[in-house]
Amino acid sequence: MGSEKKSKKPNKIFALITYFIALVCLLLGLFLPSDFANAADSMLGLQIPAAIDSIWKIGETGLQGMFNTPDFAYNFPFNVAGWPEGGINLAAILVVLYALITLAGVVALIPVCVSAFSGKKGKKKSKDASADLETMDETSGGKGKKDKNVALRAASFIEVLAIATLSTFVIILLNQFIIDGKAIADFTNYGLISAFGGTLLMLIVQAIFYKGGSGLIKFLLALMSAIVVVFIYGIPFMLPFLTDMASGLNLTLYTSGENAADVLGLINSLFTTGLAFEGREITIITLELAAVVFGYLAFVNLVLDLMGLGKKTNKFMLVVNIIRYSLEVAALIVIVVTTFFAEGVALGNFVIIAAILALISHVINVFRVALLDKKKAKAAGKKKAKKSKETAKPTAEKTEKPEKKKKPHAEEQPARAVPVADTKAAPTVENTERLYTPIIYQGPTDDFIRTLANEQKVEFSRVFLERQNGPISCIPDYTVGGKNEKFFTSIFIYYARIRDLVSDELMNMLYKQANMM
């Protein structure tokens, strides 16, 4: 018990520290200026009123006019088949969500601190607590751990929501810096980089620290998804030292003529103006649709893998992982097959890399499902065996104990007569037939003595009340009408010493009374 308490306290403190660091990074993303020459206008936090106005303008002047705040610097119109007209600014929605998540994180800091510095006292731990902790991460909803670590749960929840929002926002921002696979400006939003990088780092640290091998596997899955997204969306072109390497290795999905596949541009076109189908070959249309599906799946897989760093693993999550990676592989297969039939199209080397990474992720999740089922079956078997052992133990005591006590007694004295049942014969003058005059018990009585037959009452009184058969120092005195739990317990503890003094019938009555008490 002492070791468990000592180990839990540092865990909660560690969760508080990582949570606090992630919270500081989120605040930096809102209030660290991206342009120090124009600090006030480049703070993302001060642009929130304008972001809200771009979603839904309140009043004639809106929040921006009411608070006199700077304009919103990012615009990413999103629509489906032209609805709504003009599109919805997805960047503004993400910034507002990011601000609300950060605010929730600040508010949650107080209960997280209370949870970290306070322990739950008086709560009993189960005997198989160590087994529960071993399978905690590979069970649905954490059923094995009753004493939940609120600090870790709060930290993971806030960080998971933040990383999902920030990763989407980062991809959208990169669209403004890359055109036709070339960087048109440097990405210098250090606040956003701090928010995204710091939160991601804390999720990785928490995953490995708390979940060990499982957390490391989650990190590797997220890393492989990140590699796919980095090259699909042309991020290497933002870093000059990677540009030559990416170009020399032909790390693209495919090339059509002299142009490489611009997956990000195709996705933007699909959700803004729509893809052009008229007058184009069916193979090119199929290729572009497959590239859009693959790019979208790769992005979703990255976001879900990042979110998975802060979540407990369950079977549903692993099955979803298998399905989404299978769909990613299927989209790659369509791209490979279509390039053989499309004129003027060459397959890029990145397809092979992406397919290998997706297959590895798929196989890992299949093994994790098998391991989870094995652990659950093992834990269920241990629990069932323990439960059956506990239920069988009292039954065995009730059924076997009288037989074990009675058997040696019957073998040693198979023909022993009951002393109380024997009475002195009194022959009469008129008749030679022997008549017996029974002894009627007239001594003190209580609830237990009333349950005995007359002969048993006489025997019980003679042996235990009057001690006529000799002193029995190991057996405490029986108090008529009092509490005699120790008396009945000692009868069976010292059975070997008194078995020759008590009949089987009386011993059975004593045993029944002991069970009732």
Side-chain angles (χ1 to χ4, degrees):
M1 290 294 292
S3 61
E4 287 180 8
K5 290 182 180 179
K6 289 180 181 178
S7 63
K8 279 187 176 298
K9 192 76 173 180
N11 285 357
K12 290 185 178 182
I13 299 300
F14 179 82
L16 175 62
I17 293 173
T18 54
Y19 176 71
F20 182 77
I21 294 174
L23 202 57
V24 170
C25 293
L26 293 176
L27 291 172
L28 285 175
L30 291 175
F31 297 105
L32 186 66
S34 59
D35 182 7
F36 288 95
N38 190 16
D41 291 341
S42 62
M43 287 184 185
L44 191 61
L46 296 181
Q47 299 175 22
I48 292 176
I52 296 175
D53 288 342
S54 65
I55 301 171
W56 187 272
K57 191 173 183 179
I58 301 174
E60 295 182 0
T61 60
L63 294 178
Q64 184 182 8
M66 293 171 59
F67 297 102
N68 193 23
T69 56
D71 295 334
F72 187 57
Y74 308 102
N75 183 40
F76 187 80
F78 176 84
N79 62 65
V80 178
W83 185 90
E85 186 177 354
I88 299 175
N89 193 347
L90 183 59
I93 295 176
L94 293 172
V95 168
V96 173
L97 284 176
Y98 168 33
L100 291 175
I101 292 170
T102 304
L103 177 62
V106 173
V107 173
L109 185 61
I110 296 177
V112 169
C113 290
V114 173
S115 172
F117 291 104
S118 64
K120 296 184 179 181
K121 298 181 180 180
K123 191 168 185 179
K124 295 182 179 180
K125 307 289 183 182
S126 61
K127 293 182 180 180
D128 56 343
S130 59
D132 292 340
L133 289 173
E134 289 178 1
T135 58
M136 178 185 65
D137 180 60
E138 301 299 335
T139 55
S140 58
K143 293 180 181 179
K145 190 176 181 182
K146 302 297 182 184
D147 187 10
K148 296 186 181 296
N149 191 333
V150 180
L152 176 60
R153 292 178 62 201
S156 297
F157 181 72
I158 296 296
E159 291 160 3
V160 163
L161 291 180
I163 203 66
T165 305
L166 286 170
S167 57
T168 307
F169 189 42
V170 166
I171 293 297
I172 288 176
L173 289 188
L174 292 178
N175 178 52
Q176 300 182 353
F177 291 88
I178 301 175
I179 295 180
D180 295 331
K182 297 180 180 180
I184 60 174
D186 293 332
F187 187 73
T188 58
N189 194 330
Y190 300 111
L192 190 60
I193 294 174
S194 300
F196 177 74
T199 306
L200 177 59
L201 179 61
M202 291 304 101
L203 272 178
I204 294 172
V205 170
Q206 287 177 1
I208 297 176
F209 182 84
Y210 285 100
K211 300 179 178 67
S214 176
L216 183 59
I217 290 175
K218 290 180 179 181
F219 168 69
L220 293 177
L221 290 172
L223 181 61
M224 288 188 289
S225 295
I227 293 173
V228 174
V229 170
V230 161
F231 284 96
I232 272 190
Y233 290 91
I235 297 175
F237 293 105
M238 295 187 61
L239 304 174
F241 66 91
L242 289 179
T243 303
D244 294 337
M245 182 196 73
S247 301
L249 296 177
N250 189 20
L251 296 177
T252 59
L253 284 178
Y254 61 88
T255 55
S256 180
E258 296 180 356
N259 299 321
D262 182 11
V263 178
L264 185 59
L266 291 172
I267 293 177
N268 292 342
S269 299
L270 177 65
F271 290 108
T272 52
T273 60
L275 295 176
F277 293 148
E278 295 183 4
R280 305 181 66 196
E281 295 182 6
I282 187 65
T283 52
I284 300 297
I285 295 174
T286 304
L287 193 59
E288 290 184 351
L289 287 176
V292 168
V293 171
F294 173 63
Y296 183 75
L297 285 173
F299 169 70
V300 170
N301 286 345
L302 173 61
V303 174
L304 292 179
D305 285 335
L306 293 177
M307 293 175 66
L309 290 172
K311 296 178 67 178
K312 291 182 180 179
T313 306
N314 55 52
K315 189 171 184 178
F316 175 77
M317 179 191 297
L318 296 179
V319 171
V320 171
N321 290 352
I322 293 173
I323 293 174
R324 56 191 176 91
Y325 281 114
S326 299
L327 292 176
E328 186 175 324
V329 173
L332 287 170
I333 293 174
V334 172
I335 293 174
V336 173
V337 173
T338 309
T339 53
F340 286 106
F341 298 96
E343 186 177 353
V345 176
L347 193 65
N349 295 329
F350 183 69
V351 173
I352 300 174
I353 297 174
I356 292 174
L357 294 177
L359 284 172
I360 292 175
S361 300
H362 176 85
V363 172
I364 289 176
N365 282 284
V366 170
F367 276 105
R368 292 176 76 194
V369 170
L371 182 62
L372 176 62
D373 291 338
K374 184 178 179 180
K375 284 187 176 181
K376 289 177 69 175
K378 185 177 180 180
K382 287 183 178 180
K383 187 176 180 180
K384 186 177 180 181
K386 182 180 178 182
K387 187 176 180 180
S388 61
K389 184 178 180 181
E390 290 176 351
T391 54
K393 188 174 181 180
T395 306
E397 290 179 353
K398 290 182 179 180
T399 57
E400 296 178 6
K401 198 166 186 179
E403 295 177 2
K404 290 181 180 179
K405 293 179 179 296
K406 186 175 180 180
K407 186 174 180 180
H409 190 59
E411 291 176 354
E412 292 177 7
Q413 296 182 350
R416 184 174 65 85
V418 179
V420 180
D422 294 337
T423 57
K424 296 181 179 179
T428 61
V429 178
E430 293 91 8
N431 196 343
T432 58
E433 182 182 2
R434 301 181 65 185
L435 300 177
Y436 295 87
T437 303
I439 300 176
I440 305 300
Y441 177 78
Q442 296 180 349
T445 185
D446 59 10
D447 292 340
F448 168 67
I449 296 176
R450 291 190 190 95
T451 61
L452 303 177
N454 182 69
E455 293 81 5
Q456 296 169 356
K457 292 177 182 178
V458 174
E459 182 183 4
F460 181 83
S461 176
R462 184 180 72 247
V463 176
F464 297 109
L465 299 183
E466 301 173 7
R467 307 286 174 122
Q468 294 182 11
N469 289 18
I472 313 174
S473 59
C474 56
I475 306 297
D477 292 334
Y478 180 90
T479 302
V480 179
K483 296 182 178 180
N484 296 288
E485 288 87 354
K486 292 183 179 180
F487 170 82
F488 289 102
T489 302
S490 62
I491 290 293
F492 297 102
I493 294 176
Y494 300 100
Y495 170 80
R497 298 187 186 182
I498 65 171
R499 63 182 181 180
D500 292 331
L501 303 178
V502 183
S503 64
D504 293 343
E505 292 77 10
L506 179 58
M507 185 61 72
N508 287 335
M509 295 301 293
L510 292 170
Y511 182 76
K512 290 180 181 179
Q513 183 65 18
N515 284 339
M516 292 174 62
M517 299 186 72

